[in-house]
Amino acid sequence: MSLGTWRDCERTPRAKGRDATSKSPHVELIVVDKDVMLRTWEVYEKYKDHDLSFTDYTSIAPMNDRGIKEVFGFDSHFEKVGFRSLTSTSP
């Protein structure tokens, strides 16, 4: 855990990256509302035999809704349910 003032946080490279990402036309902020939660439970029912976290299920629901097939991540959870990882080292 690191502590700092808000002003310190705004000067970090992470804050600058966050600002650039939030302004990108390729990034969509998805609010987890009632509809997303209902879809999340549907995804959970479909894949509950997989070792996924509820956060993974919550990510998968809107990705399925939008037809997203590729993910950028450093774990294999999404590959278990049919997504292609852009960071995978396996052939």
Side-chain angles (χ1 to χ4, degrees):
M1 176 182 194
S2 60
L3 299 173
T5 65
W6 180 253
R7 182 172 289 163
D8 292 338
C9 293
E10 290 303 309
R11 291 189 206 132
T12 65
R14 181 177 292 177
K16 291 176 184 171
R18 179 201 62 218
D19 291 343
T21 301
S22 67
K23 294 174 184 169
S24 171
H26 305 289
V27 175
E28 177 185 0
L29 177 64
I30 299 170
V31 176
V32 179
D33 60 9
K34 182 179 178 180
D35 292 333
V36 173
M37 287 305 298
L38 291 173
R39 287 281 299 121
T40 298
W41 282 110
E42 292 172 11
V43 172
Y44 168 77
E45 286 298 322
K46 182 175 181 179
Y47 297 116
K48 63 184 171 187
D49 59 327
H50 293 70
D51 185 26
L52 301 173
S53 70
F54 198 76
T55 300
D56 291 338
Y57 294 120
T58 305
S59 299
I60 292 168
M63 291 176 1
N64 283 344
D65 293 344
R66 287 159 179 77
I68 295 171
K69 304 288 184 210
E70 298 176 319
V71 297
F72 185 85
F74 295 99
D75 60 43
S76 61
H77 294 139
F78 296 107
E79 291 175 324
K80 291 179 183 180
V81 294
F83 291 93
R84 180 177 166 262
S85 174
L86 298 174
T87 57
S88 178
T89 57
S90 47

